[in-house]
Amino acid sequence: MPPTRLLAGFSPALRRPPTGEADRLVVALSDIEMGPGGPLDDFPRSDYLAELLLGYGEPPFDDLEVDLVFNGDTFDLLKTTWHGTHPHYITQEVATGKMGRIIAAHPAFFDALRLFLEPGPDRRRVWFVIGNHDIDLLFGV
């Protein structure tokens, strides 16, 4: 589903690409808190987000350079267990294991992110700002 359909309820300015001298479109998303799946996952419909991301490869956005900014708490590593517990100390192994659980629970999102980036860094870029729910990412994930 193109972003224009997903944004149908918003201002007309948000439903069309910028005009004039804009050199990039910046899309910012925050506090998604994607978890390891199951009933406690705060973002069980990552397929919806995947459709949104893929829409930026379709008209009228396909000719624009797009930066996608995940502005903190994209992943909820606080609620993600590792070997059945919530570890007090985070190592690279723990952080990678927890992130692996999230990746396994949300394949549509990660596939869409990969496809979004296929045009290369001159056309598509993704930025992750670290929040308090995904600070484990600083441990080498």
Side-chain angles (χ1 to χ4, degrees):
M1 173 181 319
T4 51
R5 274 191 39 207
L6 293 173
L7 297 173
F10 291 91
S11 159
L14 294 176
R15 289 184 267 141
R16 64 179 182 274
T19 58
E21 300 299 317
D23 58 352
R24 293 193 85 80
L25 173 65
V26 177
V27 178
L29 302 165
S30 181
D31 295 282
I32 295 168
E33 297 183 11
M34 194 178 303
L40 298 180
D41 192 333
D42 289 340
F43 202 78
R45 293 298 312 268
S46 58
D47 56 329
Y48 176 81
L49 181 56
E51 288 179 27
L52 178 72
L53 298 182
L54 293 175
Y56 287 106
E58 299 174 4
F61 300 95
D62 56 333
D63 289 334
L64 290 173
E65 297 174 3
V66 180
D67 280 357
L68 181 59
V69 179
F70 290 98
N71 199 20
D73 296 341
T74 304
F75 309 109
D76 196 344
L77 293 160
L78 291 175
K79 288 185 185 174
T80 304
T81 60
W82 178 240
H83 294 301
T85 67
H86 291 92
H88 293 283
Y89 301 103
I90 305 300
T91 64
Q92 183 175 1
E93 177 186 9
V94 170
T96 302
K98 289 166 68 174
M99 197 63 213
R101 292 192 61 215
I102 293 172
I103 292 168
H106 299 279
F109 169 76
F110 290 96
D111 288 343
L113 202 56
R114 180 183 49 78
L115 291 170
F116 174 83
L117 290 168
E118 273 186 357
D122 291 340
R123 304 276 304 140
R124 300 287 186 265
R125 299 184 300 193
V126 175
W127 305 91
F128 285 92
V129 176
I130 305 300
N132 66 313
H133 286 250
D134 49 19
I135 200 162
D136 297 25
L137 294 174
L138 296 176
F139 290 89
V141 174

